[in-house]
Amino acid sequence: DTRAMLKNPPAALVVAGADIAYDPAWAAALDRTTVIALSLFPDATTARAAVVLPIQSFAEREGTFTNALRRVQRFYTAHGPVGQSLPAWKAAALIGQRLGGPKPRHSAALVMKAITESVSHYAEMSYPALAQVEEQFPPIGEAPGFYGGTAKAPAGGTGRQWPCAAEG
C-alpha cells in the first residue's frame, strides 16, 4: 500500500522512469531511503538518488507492449543505444543479481519467452507469433482518410489479442 510505504519507506527504493519527487509526500519519503533511479533524464528524483542508471528510450530497444484492447505487439529498435544505457528491464535485473537473484536474461526475446511460460494470458504471445501479419480492417497504413497510428503497413507484425474472460 502506497500510504504505508510513505509512512515507513523501505531501506532502498528503485524508481524506474518516474519523477515521484514532485509530490511533497514522496519527496519527504525519499529523504529517508536510499534511492536507485533508472531514468532517461535528470529530474527531482534523480537529484535525490544515491545511484542513477541511464535507461534506453523505446527507440533504442526492442520489446513488447500490451495496449488497452489486450493486443500484445512487438516493437523494434529504431537506432542503437546512446552511451552505456540499458533497457530498464535489464538494469533492474542486474540490480536483482547484485542482491543475490538470478543472472539476467540476455535479450528482450528471452524475457518474453519467460512471460509466455509463466503468465497464462501470454502463452500464445511468442516473438514469432507476434511477428505474423494478419489482415486488419480498415487496412492500417493503406486506407485513405484513416490513420491507424502509422503511415506504413505493419510489416513487423500485427500482434495478438488475448481473450477477455467473457470470451471464454
Side-chain angles (χ1 to χ4, degrees):
D1 169 281
T2 304
R3 285 183 221 127
M5 189 183 302
L6 287 169
K7 289 179 185 173
N8 188 19
L13 182 66
V14 177
V15 180
D19 184 11
I20 60 174
Y22 75 90
D23 180 318
W26 271 111
L30 294 180
D31 288 338
R32 301 187 323 259
T33 188
T34 300
V35 178
I36 300 170
L38 311 179
S39 185
L40 283 163
F41 306 106
D43 56 33
T45 301
T46 62
R48 294 169 182 267
V51 176
V52 179
L53 300 174
I55 58 172
Q56 296 171 353
S57 73
F58 69 91
E60 299 171 273
R61 59 187 164 82
E62 68 166 301
T64 62
F65 67 93
T66 305
N67 71 19
L69 298 174
R70 304 175 322 278
R71 181 167 290 278
V72 182
Q73 293 177 276
R74 278 187 69 178
F75 60 90
Y76 300 84
T77 304
H79 63 78
V82 175
Q84 296 180 340
S85 62
L86 295 172
W89 65 265
K90 193 163 200 170
L94 288 168
I95 292 168
Q97 181 185 22
R98 292 290 293 251
L99 296 172
K103 185 176 178 182
R105 290 174 170 77
H106 294 291
S107 68
L110 291 175
V111 172
M112 190 62 187
K113 184 176 186 293
I115 292 169
T116 64
E117 293 169 352
S118 60
V119 181
S120 62
H121 286 324
Y122 290 85
E124 303 299 320
M125 308 298 171
S126 68
Y127 260 30
L130 297 178
Q132 295 174 0
V133 178
E134 298 172 357
E135 191 171 329
Q136 293 185 321
F137 183 81
I140 293 178
E142 299 172 19
F146 173 75
Y147 179 69
T150 181
K152 293 184 172 184
T158 53
R160 288 225 146 129
Q161 187 175 36
W162 47 268
C164 68
E167 294 172 327

